[in-house]
Amino acid sequence: MTETDTALRTLAQNVRAARTRAGLSLDELGRRAQVSKGALVGLERAQGNPNFATLVRLADTLGLSVSALMEGAAEGRVRVVTADAVTPLWTGARGSEARLMLTTSGAAPVEVWRWRLEPDEEYPSHPHQAGVVETVSVTSGRMTLVVDGTEHPVEAGQTATFDADTPHAYRGAGHEACDLIMTVHLPPGPGPAA
C-alpha cells in the first residue's frame, strides 16, 4: 500500500467518524460544506483526490482542523516533522505550495503551515468559521495579504494576524519567492478525530 493510499484511508475514516459524531447524513454534510454527495461518498470510500479547498470546507463544517481529518492517532509526546516529508496540500501553476506541517493537540488546536508563494501567484481562501485567527510570518521575500478586499504588504521579518472569517488571499510580491510560516488558531471545539 502506498503512502497516498494510507493517507486516503485515514482521511476516509476520520471524515466518516466526524460526520457520524455530528449526526450528519452525507446529504446534509454536502449541503453545509458545499461538496457534492458523490465526492463525499468517494472520499469516505478512500477514492478520489479531494482538493485543498474541499478539505478546508469539510473541516470547517465539522468543526475540526484540516490535519485532524488527515492524521492518524498520535504517536507520542513529541512530534518532529520535516518539510520534505509532508506532501503539499496546494500547489500553484508557478510552483507555489502550502504544506500543513502539524496541528497541536488540545481544546483550541493550532495548525502550523509552511508556504512558498511565487511572484504574482495567489491563493484565495474562503471565509473560515467564526473564531479562526490566522497569523503569517514572512521569513524571506515579500507577500501581499488581502483581507476582505484590502491589500496589506508583508515583508521578511514581519508578521501579520487577522480574523479569518472573511474572504482572504495570499499573493507573492516582488521578484523572488516568498517563504512564510502560517499558524491557524482554531476555536475550542471537539478534539481531533482518532
Side-chain angles (χ1 to χ4, degrees):
M1 180 175 297
T2 69
E3 189 175 320
T4 300
D5 291 336
T6 301
L8 277 173
R9 287 182 57 200
T10 299
L11 176 63
Q13 292 167 353
N14 289 344
V15 168
R16 189 177 320 106
R19 180 178 63 77
T20 301
R21 274 195 311 273
L24 298 174
S25 66
L26 284 166
D27 287 323
E28 184 62 15
L29 176 58
R31 185 186 67 73
R32 291 184 187 184
Q34 300 175 350
V35 176
S36 74
K37 181 179 178 181
L40 285 174
V41 168
L43 194 149
E44 287 194 4
R45 290 182 179 165
Q47 299 167 343
N49 185 16
N51 67 31
F52 179 46
T54 297
L55 294 176
V56 170
R57 285 195 306 271
L58 286 171
D60 279 351
T61 301
L62 293 167
L64 299 170
S65 65
V66 172
S67 62
L69 292 180
M70 301 183 64
E71 292 179 346
E75 297 179 10
R77 296 182 73 141
V78 176
R79 285 181 291 159
V80 177
V81 181
T82 305
D84 61 2
V86 178
T87 302
L89 287 180
W90 171 73
T91 53
R94 297 181 183 170
S96 297
E97 63 181 28
R99 295 174 191 257
L100 176 57
M101 300 303 295
L102 59 86
T103 301
T104 62
S105 59
V110 176
E111 296 176 349
V112 179
W113 293 80
R114 282 187 180 269
W115 284 74
R116 179 174 204 92
L117 294 170
E118 294 297 330
D120 297 321
E121 190 155 41
E122 179 172 301
Y123 178 80
S125 180
H126 76 286
H128 298 295
Q129 62 180 309
V132 173
V133 175
E134 291 191 12
T135 301
V136 293
S137 295
V138 176
T139 58
S140 68
R142 295 184 303 157
M143 71 170 291
T144 301
L145 173 64
V146 183
V147 178
D148 205 16
T150 302
E151 295 187 357
H152 305 272
V154 186
E155 300 181 3
Q158 294 183 324
T159 299
T161 189
F162 63 98
D163 294 330
D165 59 353
T166 187
H168 53 284
Y170 325 101
R171 182 183 329 123
H175 301 291
E176 61 186 45
C178 173
D179 292 303
L180 62 99
I181 303 295
M182 174 193 295
T183 57
V184 180
H185 302 258
L186 302 162

